[in-house]
Amino acid sequence: PLFVPCALFLTEDRVHFGTRALRQAEMLVDTQRDALTSFKPIMGAPDLATTIEAMAPKTIDPTGQFRRRDLIVLYLAWLMALMDEAYASVVQGEARAAALRYTRPDWTADPAIDAITARMLNEARALADQFGAALTAPEGLDIETALRATATQRENAPNGLVVEGAVLEAVAAATCHVTGKKGVKHLLVFDVGAGTTDLAALRFPQDGEANVEEIMEARQTVALGGDMFDRLLLDIFVARARGIKGIEAQSRLWRRAALSARASKEQLFQEGRAALVYEGRAVSARRSDLVNDREFKDIVRGLRSAYGKSLNAVA
C-alpha cells in the first residue's frame, strides 16, 4: 500500500501522476503515447544542465510545450503533496518536511549538479504549496495551469527548502534500517534499480559507539539493472505472440507489455509463467525462456560477481 509508482502521463488537457498516470497510459497505449516512468536517464546525463532544458519528446508531451525539467518538477510537486497529506493524517494540524536529502544516479559530489537539483526541489515545493490537494485529485492537474505554474517557478527561483545534498541510494536504504535494530553488526544493501545496481554496506555501532560507519570498500555501482530484465521479457512476449506481425503491431504489443512489466516479472518468478491479453489473444512467457537466455545469464553472472566483491569487503 505504500508503493508509489514513478509515473507521469499527459493527456490533451490534464497531467496525471502515479497509478492514475499508468492507467491513462494503458487506455491510450495504441496511440503511440508513452508515460514518463523513469527520471534516471535524464538526471544521470553527463551534461545535466543542457539535458533538463530540452523539450520533452512528443510521445510523452503531445503539446510540445514542456521542458524535461518541468515534468520532473511536476512529479516532485505531486510527491511532496502526497507526503504532506500523509503527514497531516497522523499528526494534529499541518506538517511537512523542512529539509530534504535526495538520491541521484551520479552520487559523486558535484556542486553544479547539487545546485540544479536543489533549485528543482525548491520549485516543486512551491508548486506543492500552491496547488495542494489539486495535485492529488483523481482528475489530475489542468495542463494549462501546470504550464503557467512551472514557467513562473522557473523564473522566480524560490528558496523554500533546506536541501542537504545527495546520498547514494543504497546508503539511504541501509540507513533506514539502522533504527531499532539490536544485535545487528553489519548490513549490506543490494539495490537492483532500473538502470544500475548499487551496493553499500554499513557497520552498526557496537558497545557504546556513537556512529554508523559505511564500509567504503563495499560501495559499488554497476551498469546492470532491472530495465535489462524488462527488455528481455518483452522480447520474449513479442517472439511468442502468434499472429502479431509487422513492426507496428509488435510495437503496440511492446508498449502494452511494458506497462505491466513489474507485475509480469513477479508472476514469472512466483508462478513460472506470465501472461497478458492483447487484442483478444493470450500471450505468455515461461520462466525458463528468460533464465535460459544467454544475455540473462551474463547479467546474473555480473550481479553475482558484484555481490561477492561487496560481501568480501564486509567479511
Side-chain angles (χ1 to χ4, degrees), residues 120-141:
M120 294 170 65
L121 286 165
N122 280 314
E123 291 176 25
R125 179 69 263 175
L127 291 178
D129 290 342
Q130 177 181 349
F131 294 118
L135 280 165
T136 58
E139 65 271 17
L141 189 65

Side-chain angles (χ1 to χ4, degrees), residues 218-241:
R219 178 186 281 203
Q220 294 186 77
T221 295
V222 294
L224 300 169
D227 284 349
M228 297 179 177
F229 298 129
D230 290 0
R231 177 174 52 79
L232 292 174
L233 180 56
L234 298 183
D235 282 343
I236 292 170
F237 275 128
V238 171
R240 291 177 60 85

Side-chain angles (χ1 to χ4, degrees), residues 22-281:
L22 294 178
R23 290 173 181 164
Q24 289 288 329
E26 186 172 0
M27 291 169 57
L28 298 174
V29 71
D30 295 331
T31 63
Q32 304 299 310
R33 294 290 320 287
D34 293 318
L36 182 58
T37 56
S38 177
F39 303 120
K40 262 192 172 182
I42 301 174
M43 295 302 294
D47 186 356
L48 179 61
T50 300
T51 301
I52 62 171
E53 294 298 337
M55 305 306 290
K58 281 294 187 72
T59 55
I60 290 175
D61 172 23
T63 73
Q65 299 181 76
F66 284 103
R67 290 175 169 86
R68 288 170 174 170
R69 72 182 316 283
D70 297 332
L71 299 181
I72 296 174
V73 168
L74 282 168
Y75 177 82
L76 290 172
W78 170 75
L79 194 60
M80 289 180 185
L82 207 60
M83 290 163 53
D84 292 344
E85 291 182 6
Y87 288 151
S89 69
V90 295
V91 301
Q92 296 297 322
E94 296 183 2
R96 51 175 253 195
L100 292 179
R101 290 180 183 175
Y102 59 90
T103 65
R104 65 166 184 253
D106 178 13
W107 49 263
T108 305
D110 184 332
I113 293 179
D114 284 338
I116 292 171
T117 308
R119 165 76 177 258
M120 294 170 65
L121 286 165
N122 280 314
E123 291 176 25
R125 179 69 263 175
L127 291 178
D129 290 342
Q130 177 181 349
F131 294 118
L135 280 165
T136 58
E139 65 271 17
L141 189 65
D142 175 72
I143 207 163
E144 291 298 328
T145 302
L147 275 168
R148 289 193 300 270
T150 52
T152 298
Q153 298 305 334
R154 219 169 37 237
E155 297 298 323
N156 288 346
N159 292 297
L161 275 177
V162 177
V163 181
E164 297 183 343
V167 60
L168 180 65
E169 288 169 289
V171 175
T175 304
C176 291
H177 292 273
V178 172
T179 304
K181 295 292 192 301
K182 295 182 178 180
V184 177
K185 294 184 178 180
H186 300 92
L187 177 67
L188 173 61
V189 170
F190 185 70
D191 174 18
V192 183
T196 62
T197 293
D198 295 326
L199 297 96
L202 298 183
R203 178 180 177 274
F204 286 12
Q206 304 293 323
D207 300 326
E209 295 175 347
N211 297 322
V212 176
E213 176 188 2
E214 183 181 358
I215 302 170
M216 296 304 297
E217 294 81 5
R219 178 186 281 203
Q220 294 186 77
T221 295
V222 294
L224 300 169
D227 284 349
M228 297 179 177
F229 298 129
D230 290 0
R231 177 174 52 79
L232 292 174
L233 180 56
L234 298 183
D235 282 343
I236 292 170
F237 275 128
V238 171
R240 291 177 60 85
R242 296 179 180 178
I244 307 295
K245 303 297 182 181
I247 293 176
E248 185 176 342
Q250 290 177 345
S251 176
R252 288 199 302 270
L253 172 57
W254 177 284
R255 289 169 184 268
R256 175 74 69 181
L259 291 171
S260 58
R262 178 187 177 91
S264 294
K265 282 187 294 186
E266 291 179 354
Q267 184 183 23
L268 192 76
F269 284 102
Q270 289 172 1
E271 303 174 14
R273 185 183 182 91
L276 57 86
V277 177
Y278 178 71
E279 295 184 349
R281 302 170 183 171

